[in-house]
Amino acid sequence: MIAWFLRNMSRTLEFRGATMQAYLWWHPFDHISLKVVRHSPNGTVGPGAWFKIREAFRRDEAYLVNEVVSVPRLDEGGITLEQHRLGQLIFRLAHTFTPIDGGTQYDSVMHLGSDAWWFKRIANVIRRRRFPQHKQQVWLQHNVEEVGYMEHFLPELHQSYGASELAPEN
């Protein structure tokens, strides 16, 4: 169900009497928009796609996220979002979904910075400027909230669309 949502979250859907981008259901306060800027090689939303994500934690412009990320993984077991600069991985956010009795365990791991010795210093300066400690704390709160929202809309949304894979929007 979660992977289905992630593959379809850029779509505008009618649900509960409202027509809006599905991504907004995931966090109705902080999420602004999600655009698929590049589809997977097979034309779907999956590995190889690129997303442009706009959100503002706590609806505060000081915590605005306006980034393009690649999607190396999107399957039933999770999604990974990445950014590279100068050929180096500088950001990875990996969400892993594990079936458990009565639901799904949803784990998130974020990696910021670079392990390359020649890039580490500049990557650390960028990280401190773009993702300081106070922004990390509000991101953590945002992540807990958005995962918590899923149980309140996803089963019904998934059922409304018959769990069908919707055609990608252009």
Side-chain angles (χ1 to χ4, degrees), residues 104-123:
T104 301
Q105 180 174 319
Y106 188 125
D107 295 303
S108 297
V109 175
M110 181 187 289
H111 174 103
L112 294 167
S114 173
D115 293 330
W117 64 269
W118 60 271
F119 195 68
K120 194 175 278 192
R121 182 172 289 168
I122 188 73

Side-chain angles (χ1 to χ4, degrees), residues 116-145:
W117 64 269
W118 60 271
F119 195 68
K120 194 175 278 192
R121 182 172 289 168
I122 188 73
N124 286 335
V125 169
I126 293 167
R127 178 182 45 81
R128 283 193 302 272
R129 286 186 182 162
R130 295 191 66 201
F131 210 64
Q133 185 65 36
H134 60 91
K135 192 171 186 177
Q136 293 174 36
Q137 293 300 316
V138 295
W139 173 81
L140 182 58
Q141 178 184 346
H142 167 86
N143 194 283
V144 169
E145 290 169 354

Side-chain angles (χ1 to χ4, degrees), residues 83-90 114 116 118-120 122-123 126:
Q83 279 187 328
H84 294 80
R85 296 289 185 271
L86 300 175
Q88 294 298 309
L89 176 67
I90 62 162
S114 173
W118 60 271
F119 195 68
K120 194 175 278 192
I122 188 73
I126 293 167

Side-chain angles (χ1 to χ4, degrees), residues 1-162:
M1 212 180 321
I2 298 171
W4 172 88
F5 175 74
L6 295 170
R7 287 188 297 267
N8 290 288
M9 67 184 168
S10 67
R11 298 189 53 78
T12 300
L13 303 175
E14 184 178 339
F15 179 62
R16 294 183 180 164
T19 301
M20 63 185 190
Q21 187 179 52
Y23 180 66
L24 302 179
W25 286 100
W26 195 7
H27 198 302
F29 304 106
D30 291 359
H31 286 181
I32 299 168
S33 65
L34 180 134
K35 179 178 175 141
V36 179
V37 294
R38 186 167 87 188
H39 286 86
S40 299
N42 65 4
T44 65
V45 176
W50 289 65
F51 295 155
K52 180 176 176 81
I53 297 172
R54 287 185 45 85
E55 52 192 31
F57 308 142
R58 296 183 180 168
R59 287 192 176 187
D60 185 337
E61 287 287 322
Y63 300 120
L64 180 67
V65 172
N66 186 21
E67 301 289 338
V68 175
V69 294
S70 63
V71 183
R73 178 184 186 201
L74 196 173
D75 57 34
E76 298 302 317
I79 184 171
T80 301
L81 307 174
E82 293 182 346
Q83 279 187 328
H84 294 80
R85 296 289 185 271
L86 300 175
Q88 294 298 309
L89 176 67
I90 62 162
F91 166 84
R92 174 181 284 144
L93 177 58
H95 299 293
T96 304
F97 319 133
T98 306
I100 60 171
D101 287 340
T104 301
Q105 180 174 319
Y106 188 125
D107 295 303
S108 297
V109 175
M110 181 187 289
H111 174 103
L112 294 167
S114 173
D115 293 330
W117 64 269
W118 60 271
F119 195 68
K120 194 175 278 192
R121 182 172 289 168
I122 188 73
N124 286 335
V125 169
I126 293 167
R127 178 182 45 81
R128 283 193 302 272
R129 286 186 182 162
R130 295 191 66 201
F131 210 64
Q133 185 65 36
H134 60 91
K135 192 171 186 177
Q136 293 174 36
Q137 293 300 316
V138 295
W139 173 81
L140 182 58
Q141 178 184 346
H142 167 86
N143 194 283
V144 169
E145 290 169 354
E146 73 181 357
V147 173
Y149 286 133
M150 283 188 148
E151 69 182 289
H152 299 289
F153 76 89
L154 186 52
E156 185 182 347
L157 180 67
H158 188 258
Q159 185 176 19
S160 294
Y161 284 87

